[in-house]
Amino acid sequence: MRGFNRYSVLAVALSLAMLLTGVLAEAHPFHDRSGGAMMGHLLRGLDLTAQQKQQIKGIMQQHRGDLLAGKVAVLRARQNLMSVTTGSTFDTNAVQNAYGALATAQENMTVLQAQIFSQVMPVLTPDQQSKVKDKIAKINGRMQRTIDRLQSKLSSPSAGNQ
């Protein structure tokens, strides 16, 4: 690895991981094109009435500005973190500060998404709410299977050799 020290290789690896995380976040069902919550995914297939669609549209429009501003804040923070982690010099404090700013922006978006979710759920019938909860349970099940798979890799004897 001529011309690279372990820190520059680590910075590139970290940057690629963050880039991949950003790409996955964009494709994740928790986000729609406007930066909103996973409403589209969770509401798909519920046979919403015209009145329910109108009410949900109103809720989403009510929060549109905050959703877009939050998405911009997350993307700017992600850009800054990328710049800091791929810079010519390594500065732990700068990386920590940039990551803290990203975490705060993502936290604000998560709170907003939870608020929207809490406003949309009462619009649904009990049967529709049950279907949404089932979808959420499936998502959590997939996450748990991933956690279990990763934990088993951590505890396997060959984990330290990888």
Side-chain angles (χ1 to χ4, degrees):
M1 298 186 104
R2 211 171 117 223
F4 294 101
N5 63 33
R6 67 180 172 190
Y7 296 110
S8 61
V9 171
L10 180 60
V12 170
L14 179 61
S15 297
L16 289 173
M18 289 186 309
L19 180 61
L20 180 59
T21 302
V23 169
L24 292 177
E26 295 301 317
H28 191 275
F30 213 100
H31 299 84
D32 66 14
R33 279 174 269 151
S34 68
M38 65 159 114
M39 282 301 122
H41 174 73
L42 293 177
L43 299 177
R44 194 171 303 127
L46 294 184
D47 297 323
L48 298 171
T49 65
Q51 182 181 7
Q52 287 174 313
K53 289 178 184 178
Q54 192 61 34
Q55 286 177 288
I56 293 169
K57 182 179 179 181
I59 292 167
M60 295 304 292
Q61 285 178 341
Q62 175 187 349
H63 296 285
R64 185 175 188 274
D66 291 334
L67 286 167
L68 292 172
K71 180 125 182 148
V72 167
V74 168
L75 291 172
R76 283 189 176 147
R78 204 176 279 156
Q79 272 183 327
N80 184 46
L81 183 60
M82 179 70 74
S83 295
V84 169
T85 58
T86 59
S88 59
T89 59
F90 175 72
D91 180 350
T92 301
N93 288 331
V95 172
Q96 290 172 334
N97 290 336
Y99 182 79
L102 175 58
T104 298
Q106 289 175 327
E107 177 184 357
N108 293 340
M109 280 296 286
T110 301
V111 169
L112 179 58
Q113 291 166 338
Q115 180 184 7
I116 293 168
F117 183 83
S118 72
Q119 292 175 349
V120 168
M121 283 299 278
V123 171
L124 305 177
T125 66
D127 183 53
Q128 290 168 329
Q129 291 176 3
S130 177
K131 288 178 183 178
V132 167
K133 289 176 186 176
D134 287 346
K135 288 181 180 188
I136 292 169
K138 286 180 184 177
I139 291 168
N140 280 322
R142 284 193 301 268
M143 283 190 280
Q144 187 59 52
R145 285 189 297 279
T146 300
I147 290 168
D148 294 343
R149 187 177 69 247
L150 293 172
Q151 284 181 327
S152 71
K153 288 181 180 183
L154 281 174
S155 62
S156 71
S158 64
N161 297 334
Q162 295 176 2

